[in-house]
Amino acid sequence: MMKILRYLLFPIVPVYYLVTWFRNKLYDLGIKTSTSYNFPVICVGNLSVGGTGKSPMIEYLIRLLKSEHHLATLSRGYGRQTEGFVIADDTATASSIGDEPFQFYQKFDDIIVSVDANRVHGISQLSTLAKPPEIILLDDAFQHRRVKAGFNILLTAFDDLYTKDILLPTGNLREPRRGAKRADIIVVTKCPEDLSEEKKQQIKNDINPLPHQDVFFGSIAYSKSVRNNQDRLDLERLKDTPFTLVTGIANPKPLIAHLKLLGLKFEHLRFKDHHDFNASEIAILKQKSLIITTEKDMVRLQTHFSESGLLYYLPIEIRIDRQVEFDTLISNFVK
């Protein structure tokens, strides 16, 4: 039904194109102003709606930079029940700052995690702190043209390349494909681990990067165990234990394929991205014998489950080909 509706809405695509193109042109010509900064601001984003792996990329950059620099992440805080600028502290929850920022806060205790829908205001607030960050990582801000980030990392998923897509509402693009020209690095995410050099070159040819751009390929590295705050289970031990997979993410296909490849048996309960689980849904989930979910969903579900052996999440990280070259580009920009 949704696919049919999207096709019916195709006449709106040219209108959406003109609106987004005109807005970007105003920024490109300097008629609408962007704010630049005299310290490193790195933006991670995409051209399409959801599902490209922005959170794992932010976490990759945190791990790369945090030992030598005082970092802050700045996100919109999608789905939170607060407004304005908020810095995560001991009272933070997924409801107060959003699920992905709360995930950063739980994993990294030596960085600043902040949210503000107005990124210019958020950066301004961070700059007034007693110990301001040396580097700010902007999460999902590629279309936030009011900020002129010093370095833009554009993500596109292997199975949903922006080069093969069209604009909303029929397609998934937030802005025309030419917006990719603003990127310094383009990362094709969620690639198969055995992706051939021939296929990589084919994708590079489709992307047709500008001379100043470099294209990298990333894959998902799944942990060999699932875990919660009290326990961990090796996935190998679950081959004879059916479980329920719960996902509230934009694209669960790579996760499903990975679990099936391991020979695991499970039912899949799929919810929309950033889903806010209600009481009746929690009651149904509590009737399951074992639940495995994503790390992003875990931060929204964990407060409802005191039983340590019922709910687990599967950690992931991003692996990048030509990692040394990628890291060097980031480090050179920061310097």
Side-chain angles (χ1 to χ4, degrees), residues 160-224:
D160 191 20
L161 296 170
Y162 73 84
T163 56
K164 308 292 186 182
D165 206 349
I166 63 173
L167 287 169
L168 292 165
T170 301
N172 289 319
L173 294 186
R174 298 169 168 176
E175 62 172 301
R177 292 191 290 262
R178 67 178 62 196
K181 294 180 179 181
R182 302 197 305 274
D184 297 283
I185 287 177
I186 299 171
V187 181
V188 181
T189 60
K190 303 185 178 181
C191 296
E193 292 189 8
D194 59 351
L195 186 63
S196 68
E197 291 301 320
E198 181 181 2
K199 183 62 176 178
K200 289 180 182 179
Q201 189 58 51
Q202 178 185 331
I203 294 173
K204 284 183 180 179
N205 292 341
D206 287 342
I207 291 174
N208 191 22
L210 297 173
H212 75 278
Q213 295 177 321
D214 208 338
V215 178
F216 293 86
F217 294 85
S219 59
I220 299 173
Y222 292 97
S223 173
K224 294 182 179 180

Side-chain angles (χ1 to χ4, degrees), residues 48-68:
S48 60
V49 289
T52 57
K54 294 182 294 294
S55 294
M57 177 57 72
I58 290 288
E59 292 184 3
Y60 181 96
L61 295 174
I62 292 171
R63 293 187 183 96
L64 175 65
L65 299 169
K66 71 184 182 70
S67 63
E68 296 184 7

Side-chain angles (χ1 to χ4, degrees), residues 39-242:
F39 54 87
V41 176
I42 301 175
C43 170
V44 174
N46 50 21
L47 293 183
S48 60
V49 289
T52 57
K54 294 182 294 294
S55 294
M57 177 57 72
I58 290 288
E59 292 184 3
Y60 181 96
L61 295 174
I62 292 171
R63 293 187 183 96
L64 175 65
L65 299 169
K66 71 184 182 70
S67 63
E68 296 184 7
H69 303 278
H70 184 43
L71 297 182
T73 63
L74 178 59
S75 310
R76 173 187 172 188
Y78 183 85
R80 64 187 171 116
Q81 297 176 3
T82 58
E83 296 182 356
F85 177 74
V86 179
I87 289 182
D89 58 20
D90 291 343
T91 66
T93 64
S95 296
S96 66
I97 62 172
D99 47 18
E100 289 155 334
F102 189 56
Q103 178 179 318
F104 302 152
Y105 178 70
Q106 286 193 313
K107 294 180 75 170
F108 305 102
D109 57 6
D110 48 358
I111 69 168
I112 301 169
V113 175
S114 62
V115 295
D116 197 331
N118 184 334
R119 305 308 204 286
V120 173
H121 179 259
I123 293 174
S124 175
Q125 294 296 106
L126 287 169
S127 299
T128 62
L129 296 177
K131 187 181 179 182
E134 299 169 322
I135 302 171
I136 295 178
L137 305 178
L138 296 181
D139 179 23
D140 195 14
F142 197 74
Q143 284 75 39
H144 201 91
R145 298 293 305 273
R146 289 182 60 198
V147 170
K148 185 174 177 60
F151 200 86
N152 284 289
I153 301 175
L154 178 68
L155 309 183
T156 183
F158 172 80
D159 62 353
D160 191 20
L161 296 170
Y162 73 84
T163 56
K164 308 292 186 182
D165 206 349
I166 63 173
L167 287 169
L168 292 165
T170 301
N172 289 319
L173 294 186
R174 298 169 168 176
E175 62 172 301
R177 292 191 290 262
R178 67 178 62 196
K181 294 180 179 181
R182 302 197 305 274
D184 297 283
I185 287 177
I186 299 171
V187 181
V188 181
T189 60
K190 303 185 178 181
C191 296
E193 292 189 8
D194 59 351
L195 186 63
S196 68
E197 291 301 320
E198 181 181 2
K199 183 62 176 178
K200 289 180 182 179
Q201 189 58 51
Q202 178 185 331
I203 294 173
K204 284 183 180 179
N205 292 341
D206 287 342
I207 291 174
N208 191 22
L210 297 173
H212 75 278
Q213 295 177 321
D214 208 338
V215 178
F216 293 86
F217 294 85
S219 59
I220 299 173
Y222 292 97
S223 173
K224 294 182 179 180
S225 62
V226 293
R227 64 192 68 175
N228 57 32
N229 292 333
Q230 295 87 29
D231 192 17
R232 93 171 41 188
L233 293 173
D234 290 338
L235 287 173
E236 282 290 326
R237 293 174 52 192
L238 297 180
K239 285 193 172 181
D240 297 319
T241 306

